[in-house]
Amino acid sequence: MRTVLLEGRGKVFIRDVSTPSPEPGDLLVEMRACGLCGSDLEKIQGVYTAAPPILGHEAVGVIAEVGQGAEGFEVGDRVFPHHHVPCYECVYCRRGSQTMCPEYRRWHLDPGGFSECFRVPRWNVSHGGVLILPETMSFQEGSFIEPLACCIRALDRLGVPEGSDVLIVGAGPMGLLLLQLLGHWGAGQVMVSEVSPYRLEAATRLGAQAAVNPLEVDVTQEVRRLTDRRGADLAIVASGSPKALSQAIHSVRRGGKVGLVGIPDEGSSLSGVSDLVTREISLISSNAATEMETRRALELISEGVVDVQSMVTHRVHLKEFPKAIELARKAESIKVVVVP
Ligand SMILES: [Zn+2]
Ligand SMILES: [Zn+2]
């Protein structure tokens, strides 16, 4: 079967490998759709090295084989299998840092989501990581469960009191999902800063009250103008660009919060720390998601609260994977979904 493997920095190959065989408790899933995530691009570029070099974690598909003893699943079930699953028992899990659980990153789809078939380990299956997709949900929609879950976790961690004015820096897939969630969450004005005019247009269509291009407008000034000179209550950095973080810090009001969702380039540093204290600004990061959020993400997509369909700008066949990378890096794309 065909799979995409990362074999060193920038070296992505489509390989023919043998189909994994499920051990007891595992599932074998035929991939039907797998979103290409910014973190996949970062892994390919070699700037994000903290995670295992496995590509493709926004995968959905159909169960092709059920390992002995995998309860509750049948061949033919349409599923979302979460790639990382915590233990829900250790100190990290009990104290709310489930995505920092030592078990969390030990488990992943084998050999990865960009494969004709992949094995879901028994750990993920037995810890509730596999969700059945509702009949009405397309595979393409299902491929947004994982990224949307990450956004839900981020907003939970940040806390968004009703009426909060929010700036989102970066209108890629994560920024646009956050934008839609914030509307549902009861935020006040949601402003978006983004350099791609194409993505700015998408932000306006998906409900942003203001969509500004930092190449043309002083974003901080614009945010102040829209918030009675105060600044935003919350700014969320949904981009890896180092400029994005300083833009966010400068655009929040005194006592405001800055959320970090996009992963900055390795080695990025932060200046102006004293300003954080004198202006009492909190930095809150959020990384990945758990089953608590994947279940909510599935519901929000199936209820139509979040429009994911219109965010898909390109569908690329697995055998043309390098094209998917190229498209995802373009300013005129939002979400690239890989199909078998
Ligand atoms: Zn992702
Ligand atoms: Zn744990």
Side-chain angles (χ1 to χ4, degrees):
M1 63 152 205
R2 206 176 267 138
T3 188
V4 173
L5 296 178
L6 182 59
E7 299 173 359
R9 191 180 184 131
K11 293 189 184 122
V12 175
F13 296 99
I14 299 170
R15 298 282 191 214
D16 199 14
V17 300
S18 49
T19 305
S21 47
E23 301 278 313
D26 294 350
L27 295 174
L28 185 71
V29 173
E30 266 176 33
M31 187 268 279
R32 291 295 157 86
C34 183
L36 182 58
C37 174
S39 69
D40 289 318
L41 296 177
E42 284 159 356
K43 283 181 194 174
I44 292 167
Q45 267 176 277
V47 292
Y48 170 46
T49 50
I54 309 279
L55 297 178
H57 57 271
E58 301 177 357
V60 286
V62 175
I63 296 181
E65 247 181 273
V66 177
Q68 201 193 341
E71 299 275 318
F73 297 98
E74 281 176 34
V75 170
D77 282 348
R78 303 162 75 248
V79 289
F80 160 77
H82 200 187
H83 65 138
H84 293 328
V85 180
C87 77
Y88 295 107
E89 284 171 4
C90 72
V91 172
Y92 291 92
C93 284
R94 291 201 314 269
R95 299 186 185 166
S97 302
Q98 295 89 349
T99 62
M100 298 294 114
C101 168
E103 294 293 325
Y104 188 69
R105 280 178 176 75
R106 273 186 59 194
W107 308 95
H108 51 78
L109 307 179
D110 166 32
F114 299 123
S115 310
E116 283 174 298
C117 270
F118 53 81
R119 187 181 62 85
V120 185
R122 179 179 62 184
W123 174 273
N124 303 39
V125 179
S126 63
H127 285 76
V130 183
L131 309 184
I132 303 273
L133 300 180
E135 270 172 38
T136 49
M137 186 181 288
S138 69
F139 288 113
Q140 191 163 286
E141 288 172 312
S143 72
F144 280 84
I145 292 173
E146 197 277 342
L148 185 62
C150 297
C151 294
I152 292 172
R153 181 174 172 84
L155 293 190
D156 277 349
R157 285 176 57 75
L158 285 162
V160 186
E162 218 177 309
S164 300
D165 292 325
V166 186
L167 169 69
I168 300 172
V169 185
M174 296 300 265
L176 294 174
L177 290 174
L178 287 163
L179 164 67
Q180 297 188 65
L181 283 177
L182 283 161
H184 179 63
W185 239 254
Q189 301 182 79
V190 184
M191 302 157 274
V192 172
S193 158
E194 163 66 53
V195 292
S196 152
Y198 183 86
R199 291 181 168 194
L200 280 175
E201 218 178 275
T204 304
R205 178 171 50 80
L206 293 170
Q209 274 83 21
V212 290
N213 191 332
L215 301 177
E216 295 165 2
V217 180
D218 182 328
V219 175
T220 301
Q221 287 307 321
E222 185 62 9
V223 170
R224 293 199 186 285
R225 192 181 69 77
L226 292 166
T227 54
D228 289 333
R229 310 300 313 158
R230 279 190 314 275
D233 299 296
L234 169 64
I236 308 177
V237 183
S239 151
S241 146
K243 280 187 193 156
L245 176 56
S246 83
Q247 193 183 105
I249 291 172
H250 289 112
S251 301
V252 289
R253 64 166 169 82
R254 283 180 284 128
K257 290 181 280 192
V258 173
L260 298 172
V261 179
I263 300 168
D265 292 353
E266 220 189 0
S268 300
S269 61
L270 178 61
S271 61
V273 179
S274 60
D275 194 41
L276 295 180
V277 184
T278 53
R279 295 177 61 226
E280 201 180 52
I281 292 168
S282 310
L283 284 188
I284 301 167
S285 60
S286 187
N287 190 303
T290 72
E291 283 36 75
M292 292 176 276
E293 293 90 22
T294 57
R295 292 199 185 100
R296 283 159 69 193
L298 182 147
E299 270 176 28
L300 290 176
I301 295 170
S302 70
E303 287 164 4
V305 170
V306 179
D307 167 19
V308 294
Q309 206 67 51
S310 76
M311 288 173 52
V312 178
T313 50
H314 303 88
R315 284 162 67 94
V316 175
H317 286 282
L318 185 59
K319 60 177 186 289
E320 297 173 325
F321 188 77
K323 201 170 121 192
I325 303 173
E326 211 178 288
L327 287 166
R329 285 183 177 148
K330 276 180 38 180
E332 290 81 33
S333 78
I334 298 170
K335 193 69 177 177
V336 179
V337 175
V338 175
V339 292

Short mmCIF file of all heavy atoms in Angstrom, two decimals, residues 193-197 200 212-219 243 247:
data_model
loop_
_atom_site.label_atom_id
_atom_site.label_comp_id
_atom_site.label_asym_id
_atom_site.label_seq_id
_atom_site.Cartn_x
_atom_site.Cartn_y
_atom_site.Cartn_z
N SER A 193 -6.17 39.46 11.89
CA SER A 193 -5.04 40.06 11.20
C SER A 193 -4.39 38.97 10.35
O SER A 193 -4.14 37.86 10.85
CB SER A 193 -4.06 40.60 12.24
OG SER A 193 -2.77 40.71 11.69
N GLU A 194 -4.13 39.26 9.09
CA GLU A 194 -3.61 38.23 8.18
C GLU A 194 -3.01 38.90 6.96
O GLU A 194 -3.54 39.91 6.49
CB GLU A 194 -4.80 37.31 7.81
CG GLU A 194 -4.62 36.43 6.59
CD GLU A 194 -3.53 35.36 6.75
OE1 GLU A 194 -3.59 34.61 7.74
OE2 GLU A 194 -2.65 35.29 5.89
N VAL A 195 -1.91 38.35 6.46
CA VAL A 195 -1.25 38.99 5.31
C VAL A 195 -1.84 38.57 3.96
O VAL A 195 -1.68 39.27 2.97
CB VAL A 195 0.28 38.74 5.29
CG1 VAL A 195 0.98 39.47 6.44
CG2 VAL A 195 0.59 37.25 5.31
N SER A 196 -2.52 37.42 3.92
CA SER A 196 -3.07 36.98 2.63
C SER A 196 -4.47 37.55 2.40
O SER A 196 -5.39 37.29 3.18
CB SER A 196 -3.14 35.43 2.61
OG SER A 196 -4.19 34.99 1.77
N PRO A 197 -4.65 38.34 1.34
CA PRO A 197 -5.98 38.91 1.05
C PRO A 197 -7.04 37.80 0.87
O PRO A 197 -8.18 37.97 1.26
CB PRO A 197 -5.77 39.67 -0.27
CG PRO A 197 -4.30 39.92 -0.34
CD PRO A 197 -3.64 38.78 0.35
N LEU A 200 -8.09 36.77 4.24
CA LEU A 200 -8.85 37.86 4.89
C LEU A 200 -10.30 37.83 4.43
O LEU A 200 -11.23 38.05 5.21
CB LEU A 200 -8.23 39.21 4.54
CG LEU A 200 -6.99 39.60 5.34
CD1 LEU A 200 -6.41 40.91 4.81
CD2 LEU A 200 -7.31 39.74 6.83
N VAL A 212 -7.98 42.74 8.93
CA VAL A 212 -6.98 43.74 8.55
C VAL A 212 -5.66 43.09 8.11
O VAL A 212 -5.26 42.04 8.62
CB VAL A 212 -6.69 44.73 9.71
CG1 VAL A 212 -7.87 45.64 9.92
CG2 VAL A 212 -6.34 44.01 10.98
N ASN A 213 -5.02 43.76 7.18
CA ASN A 213 -3.75 43.27 6.65
C ASN A 213 -2.61 44.08 7.27
O ASN A 213 -2.50 45.28 7.03
CB ASN A 213 -3.75 43.42 5.13
CG ASN A 213 -2.58 42.69 4.50
OD1 ASN A 213 -1.53 42.52 5.13
ND2 ASN A 213 -2.77 42.26 3.26
N PRO A 214 -1.74 43.41 8.05
CA PRO A 214 -0.65 44.15 8.72
C PRO A 214 0.34 44.77 7.74
O PRO A 214 1.14 45.63 8.13
CB PRO A 214 0.03 43.08 9.59
CG PRO A 214 -0.40 41.77 9.04
CD PRO A 214 -1.72 41.98 8.37
N LEU A 215 0.29 44.34 6.47
CA LEU A 215 1.19 44.96 5.49
C LEU A 215 0.65 46.33 5.07
O LEU A 215 1.36 47.14 4.49
CB LEU A 215 1.35 44.06 4.26
CG LEU A 215 1.90 42.65 4.51
CD1 LEU A 215 1.93 41.84 3.22
CD2 LEU A 215 3.29 42.72 5.14
N GLU A 216 -0.64 46.55 5.35
CA GLU A 216 -1.26 47.81 4.93
C GLU A 216 -1.68 48.69 6.09
O GLU A 216 -1.77 49.90 5.97
CB GLU A 216 -2.51 47.50 4.08
CG GLU A 216 -2.19 46.81 2.77
CD GLU A 216 -3.42 46.19 2.12
OE1 GLU A 216 -4.54 46.32 2.68
OE2 GLU A 216 -3.26 45.55 1.07
N VAL A 217 -1.98 48.06 7.22
CA VAL A 217 -2.57 48.80 8.35
C VAL A 217 -1.77 48.51 9.61
O VAL A 217 -1.25 47.40 9.78
CB VAL A 217 -4.03 48.31 8.57
CG1 VAL A 217 -4.69 49.05 9.72
CG2 VAL A 217 -4.86 48.44 7.31
N ASP A 218 -1.66 49.48 10.50
CA ASP A 218 -1.06 49.24 11.81
C ASP A 218 -2.13 48.52 12.65
O ASP A 218 -3.09 49.14 13.11
CB ASP A 218 -0.66 50.58 12.44
CG ASP A 218 0.03 50.38 13.79
OD1 ASP A 218 -0.31 49.41 14.50
OD2 ASP A 218 0.90 51.20 14.13
N VAL A 219 -1.94 47.22 12.83
CA VAL A 219 -2.97 46.39 13.46
C VAL A 219 -3.27 46.86 14.88
O VAL A 219 -4.43 46.98 15.28
CB VAL A 219 -2.56 44.90 13.44
CG1 VAL A 219 -3.57 44.05 14.20
CG2 VAL A 219 -2.42 44.40 12.01
N LYS A 243 6.64 37.59 14.31
CA LYS A 243 6.02 38.91 14.37
C LYS A 243 4.61 38.83 14.95
O LYS A 243 4.12 39.77 15.56
CB LYS A 243 5.91 39.50 12.96
CG LYS A 243 7.19 40.11 12.46
CD LYS A 243 6.95 40.80 11.14
CE LYS A 243 8.26 41.14 10.46
NZ LYS A 243 8.12 41.28 9.02
N GLN A 247 2.82 41.30 17.76
CA GLN A 247 1.60 42.01 17.36
C GLN A 247 0.47 41.74 18.37
O GLN A 247 -0.26 42.64 18.78
CB GLN A 247 1.18 41.54 15.97
CG GLN A 247 0.13 42.39 15.31
CD GLN A 247 -0.27 41.78 13.98
OE1 GLN A 247 -1.32 41.20 13.84
NE2 GLN A 247 0.61 41.89 12.99
#
